[in-house]
Amino acid sequence: MGVANRNQQAWVDASTFAERAAAQAVEKAGLQPGDITAIVTSNTTRWAAPGLDVHLVDKPGLRPDVRRIALATVGCTGGAQALTRAADLVNRTPRRPRHRRRL
């Protein structure tokens, strides 16, 4: 399998996994996709434009104005930074009992 094929498969795997994980997190939290105000993505397997954030906004039915923070091509630290950014967003969001949940 050449580099181009591996890159394509990496995108398919990453986008499929991200979509599934996002849908499960929203369901587990008892929310609807439209309740989500921000998403943070990190993908170190493959550089892609548009990135996972653009893919996710369309697929699970998130609002088109959802805040997106894409940490792509930043290596392994991207995952740690994604968690940090997500925690910052949750902690700085005004409290709304039903909607302020960590996914």
Side-chain angles (χ1 to χ4, degrees):
M1 180 182 277
V3 172
N5 288 341
R6 287 194 307 266
N7 279 338
Q8 181 58 34
Q9 187 60 51
W11 171 253
V12 169
D13 292 345
S15 60
T16 299
F17 180 74
E19 184 178 335
R20 189 177 318 137
Q24 288 173 356
V26 169
E27 182 180 337
K28 184 176 179 180
L31 300 173
Q32 296 298 314
D35 295 330
I36 305 303
T37 58
I39 61 171
V40 181
T41 59
S42 176
N43 176 25
T44 59
T45 305
R46 173 187 187 262
W47 185 86
L52 285 174
D53 59 315
V54 174
H55 177 78
L56 288 175
V57 167
D58 185 44
K59 293 294 183 179
L62 297 175
R63 299 185 334 238
D65 65 340
V66 70
R67 182 175 178 190
R68 300 184 313 237
I69 299 174
L71 298 169
T73 70
V74 290
C76 295
T77 60
Q81 284 299 313
L83 292 172
T84 300
R85 296 289 175 246
D88 286 347
L89 285 170
V90 169
N91 292 326
R92 292 180 184 167
T93 301
R95 289 186 182 264
R96 291 186 297 173
R98 181 176 179 274
H99 297 104
R100 187 173 183 259
R101 298 191 179 145
R102 292 174 175 90
L103 298 181

